[in-house]
């Protein structure tokens, strides 16, 4: 049985506390007055060689000969200035919400990716992986609280955050005649409405959690069972879950991520999010396995198991890149205005993280994990895994931030605090779950094959 060390438990609690402080700081400092935001904009203009003073002077010049027209211009420019300041003010207020949401989704998707990987191993009756099942089961313990937190943040951003994440949640966008009315958003209101969003989210979470509950129950029961009935039940529910997962993961990705840009859509998006989720989950399986192995647990796990996990890290990094390129290339090639705006925004304001994640999620894994021998070296897999995880955090960051904070992005205290908060929570929940059952599935039919797995 695994024992959750006091050092690791204390470390996870410290991360949560530091994270809460960082998140709190982000919310406290994000509420700026109109004058404060105006000062920020003026300072930025001055830094870039222009200023509002010049614009104002230009707007009022020639007043003596064309008084009325210049007066109207001045009023129009003043209105535009006010709208711009209010827009920037809203973006700054959105930042802590977006930072919290990105980190919450990132750690939730790790657990969901592991659950799908676990179901695939059981449904395919894989012979190499059963020695890692308890690690996977421990990781999926985070899914229920993690997913509920994501849904709660999304709902709270509407009810108390003035639609900081999802603009379509603003009821004025579907009110004909209102200045915020948006015909396209109104056309999608049958799907994109707050209560539909919440109900669908609860259905997704309920289905995933039920599968996790029963698969874990059958797994533990199989340890002491004299027949294979629990294994057969696990096989059946895993096959059924995978069908449920394929549909709900796609809908979840539309609701929880793609709808931050309600005017844009991609038919590849569900697969794209799945690839990011899957490779992130598999990477964390490798990291936790290596950690437990270093603490003298999992003595039945050998370098061949690590090699296979690293192979999946490598393979799904390639798969993610294929989907990223397919989505990007098709939209770039067709050059349809309502589609290309998604990538234009990211190229203009997010060039470093947008192109940087391609290096971290594709170029780095290709160079590091292509060699079969490197996949067997624990410290090498850890190094590659940490880069891959950071790359996929940036991937989620790139999906959420442009639509919520625009060019006001930065990886600072709100973002780092959010990562620390959910990393601490993830470590605490996962390693607590690992203490609840033996780290080896004893009655599983392919256990012996898995223990003796070698090339």
């Amino acid at each position: 049985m695994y024992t959750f060390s006091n050092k690791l438990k204390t470390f996870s609690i410290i991360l949560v506390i530091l994270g809460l402080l960082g998140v709190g700081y982000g919310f406290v400092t994000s509420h700026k007055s109109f004058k404060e935001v105006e000062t920020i904009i003026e300072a930025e203009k001055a830094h870039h060689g222009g200023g509002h003073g010049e614009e104002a002077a230009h707007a009022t010049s020639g007043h003596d000969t064309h008084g009325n027209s210049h007066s109207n211009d001045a009023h129009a420019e003043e209105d535009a200035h006010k709208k711009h300041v209010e827009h920037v003010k809203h973006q700054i207020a959105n930042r802590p919400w977006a930072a919290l949401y990105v980190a919450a989704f990132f750690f939730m998707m790790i657990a969901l990716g592991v659950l799908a990987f676990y179901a695939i191993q059981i449904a395919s009756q894989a012979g190499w992986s059963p020695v890692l099942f308890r690690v996977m089961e421990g990781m999926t313990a985070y899914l229920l609280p993690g997913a509920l937190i994501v849904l709660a943040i999304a709902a709270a951003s509407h009810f108390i955050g003035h639609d900081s994440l999802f603009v379509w949640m603003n009821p004025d966008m579907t009110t004909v005649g209102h200045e915020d009315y948006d015909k396209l958003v109104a056309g999608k209101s049958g799907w994109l409405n707050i209560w539909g969003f919440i109900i669908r989210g609860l259905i997704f979470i309920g289905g995933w959690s039920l599968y996790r509950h029963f698969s874990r129950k059958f797994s533990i029961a199989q340890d002491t069972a004299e027949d294979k009935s629990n294994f057969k039940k696990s096989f059946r529910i895993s096959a059924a879950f995978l069908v449920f997962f394929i549909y709900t993961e796609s809908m979840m990705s539309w609701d929880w991520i793609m709808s931050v840009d309600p005017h844009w859509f991609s038919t590849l998006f569900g697969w794209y999010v799945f690839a990011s989720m899957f490779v992130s989950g598999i990477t964390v399986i490798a990291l936790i396995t290596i950690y437990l192995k270093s603490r003298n647990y999992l003595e039945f796990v050998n370098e061949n198991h690590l090699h296979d996990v690293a192979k999946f890290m490598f393979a799904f990094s390639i798969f993610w890149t294929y989907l990223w390129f397919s989505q990007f290339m098709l939209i770039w090639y067709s050059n349809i205005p309502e589609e290309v705006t998604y990538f234009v925004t990211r190229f203009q304001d997010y060039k470093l993280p947008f192109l940087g994640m391609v290096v971290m999620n594709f170029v780095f894994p290709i160079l590091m994990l292509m060699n079969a021998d490197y996949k067997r070296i624990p410290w090498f897999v850890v190094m590659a895994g940490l880069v891959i995880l950071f790359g996929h955090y940036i991937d989620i960051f790139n999906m959420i931030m442009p639509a919520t904070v625009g060019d006001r992005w930065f990886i600072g205290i709100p973002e780092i605090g959010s990562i620390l908060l959910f990393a601490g929570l993830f470590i605490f929940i996962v390693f607590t779950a690992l203490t609840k059952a033996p780290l080896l599935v004893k009655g599983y039919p392919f256990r012996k094959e898995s223990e003796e797995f070698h090339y």
Side-chain angles (χ1 to χ4, degrees):
M1 292 287 285
Y2 170 70
T3 304
F4 193 177
S5 72
N6 288 329
K7 282 185 180 179
L8 186 59
K9 187 180 292 184
T10 304
F11 176 68
S12 67
I13 292 169
I14 290 171
L15 287 181
V16 170
I17 293 169
L18 290 175
L20 286 170
L21 291 173
V23 169
Y25 173 84
F27 277 100
V28 168
T29 57
S30 67
H31 294 287
K32 308 283 187 188
S33 67
F34 185 91
K35 194 67 182 173
E36 286 175 317
V37 176
E38 201 170 32
T39 304
I40 291 169
I41 294 171
E42 292 293 337
E44 288 172 351
K45 284 182 178 178
H47 179 70
H48 290 100
H52 181 65
E54 294 174 14
E55 294 171 9
H58 177 73
T60 55
S61 63
H63 179 76
D64 55 334
T65 54
H66 301 88
N68 289 334
S69 63
H70 279 285
S71 176
N72 290 337
D73 287 347
H75 280 302
E77 200 160 317
E78 186 63 29
D79 287 343
H81 172 69
K82 285 180 180 177
K83 284 183 179 179
H84 177 60
V85 174
E86 286 293 341
H87 180 65
V88 172
K89 182 183 173 186
H90 193 56
Q91 287 180 325
I92 292 171
N94 289 352
R95 185 181 159 197
W97 284 102
L100 193 65
Y101 190 75
V102 169
F105 186 89
F106 175 69
F107 283 95
M108 183 282 297
M109 82 171 189
I110 289 172
L112 183 55
V114 171
L115 188 67
F117 186 67
Y118 176 74
I120 289 169
Q121 299 306 304
I122 293 175
S124 64
Q125 299 188 5
W128 71 275
S129 56
V131 293
L132 299 174
F133 278 2
R134 289 290 151 82
V135 173
M136 299 182 206
E137 289 169 15
M139 291 172 65
T140 56
Y142 181 79
L143 180 58
L144 177 58
L148 287 173
I149 289 169
V150 172
L151 190 61
I153 293 169
S157 74
H158 166 67
F159 291 112
I160 62 177
H162 307 293
D163 307 309
S164 298
L165 295 174
F166 302 92
V167 292
W168 57 262
M169 288 184 178
N170 179 2
D172 294 334
M173 295 191 80
T174 57
T175 305
V176 178
H178 195 278
E179 62 175 352
D180 292 334
Y181 176 73
D182 188 307
K183 186 178 179 181
L184 200 149
V185 171
K188 295 181 178 181
S189 61
W191 180 273
L192 292 182
N193 60 82
I194 182 63
W195 292 112
F197 177 90
I198 291 171
I199 291 167
R200 284 193 304 274
L202 291 173
I203 292 170
F204 304 157
I205 296 167
W208 303 334
S209 300
L210 278 173
Y211 169 70
R212 195 268 167 185
H213 169 77
F214 284 108
S215 62
R216 168 77 162 176
K217 178 183 174 183
F218 296 146
S219 173
I220 292 173
Q222 188 61 54
D223 283 355
T224 54
E226 295 180 356
D227 57 20
K228 305 300 180 211
S229 60
N230 290 294
F231 163 72
K232 291 175 182 176
K233 290 175 187 174
S234 289
F235 173 78
R236 286 195 290 269
I237 65 168
S238 294
F241 166 75
L242 287 170
V243 176
F244 177 80
F245 173 80
I246 288 167
Y247 284 100
T248 55
E249 185 277 332
S250 287
M251 288 189 282
M252 177 274 291
S253 66
W254 306 336
D255 276 3
W256 294 6
I257 296 186
M258 194 167 72
S259 73
V260 296
D261 288 288
H263 284 201
W264 180 83
F265 71 92
S266 166
T267 53
L268 272 176
F269 200 77
W271 283 108
Y272 179 73
V273 174
F274 166 75
S276 200
M277 168 190 302
F278 212 58
V279 72
S280 299
I282 292 165
T283 300
V284 179
I285 291 172
L287 297 182
I288 291 178
T289 300
I290 290 168
Y291 169 77
L292 291 172
K293 188 81 174 161
S294 73
R295 308 299 293 178
N296 298 318
Y297 295 100
L298 303 182
E299 65 281 355
F300 37 82
V301 172
N302 58 48
E303 63 176 17
N304 297 300
H305 297 108
L306 179 61
H307 175 267
D308 264 27
V309 175
K311 275 203 303 189
F312 276 105
M313 290 165 59
F314 174 79
F316 279 93
S317 292
I318 306 299
F319 181 57
W320 175 88
T321 311
Y322 163 71
L323 293 170
W324 178 87
F325 179 74
S326 298
Q327 182 172 263
F328 174 77
M329 185 270 294
L330 289 171
I331 290 174
W332 171 81
Y333 184 75
S334 61
N335 201 27
I336 300 170
E338 59 267 31
E339 290 185 351
V340 296
T341 50
Y342 184 85
F343 288 109
V344 168
T345 306
R346 283 152 181 80
F347 259 99
Q348 287 178 344
D349 302 326
Y350 288 76
K351 188 169 286 184
L352 178 62
F354 185 73
L355 298 177
M357 76 171 183
V358 179
V359 175
M360 289 185 284
N361 295 340
F362 172 58
V363 179
F364 192 84
I366 279 279
L367 296 176
M368 295 295 104
L369 296 175
M370 185 176 284
N371 188 301
D373 293 334
Y374 291 168
K375 297 188 188 80
R376 299 172 186 273
I377 304 172
W379 70 265
F380 208 88
V381 175
V382 169
M383 179 182 69
L386 291 175
V387 173
I388 290 169
L389 285 178
F390 183 62
H392 285 285
Y393 168 81
I394 296 295
D395 188 15
I396 305 301
F397 185 90
N398 284 329
M399 293 183 207
I400 300 295
M401 288 289 181
T404 54
V405 304
D407 59 358
R408 300 279 148 186
W409 72 273
F410 188 72
I411 296 183
I413 292 176
E415 290 77 14
I416 294 170
S418 299
I419 293 170
L420 295 180
L421 169 61
F422 291 109
L425 194 62
F426 184 86
I427 291 169
F428 187 86
I429 291 172
V430 168
F431 283 88
T432 299
L434 288 172
T435 66
K436 305 296 184 185
L439 291 178
L440 178 63
V441 284
K442 293 187 173 67
Y444 196 78
F446 303 112
R447 169 198 156 186
K448 196 72 177 169
E449 181 182 341
S450 183
E451 284 183 294
E452 296 173 357
F453 176 67
H454 67 277
Y455 278 46

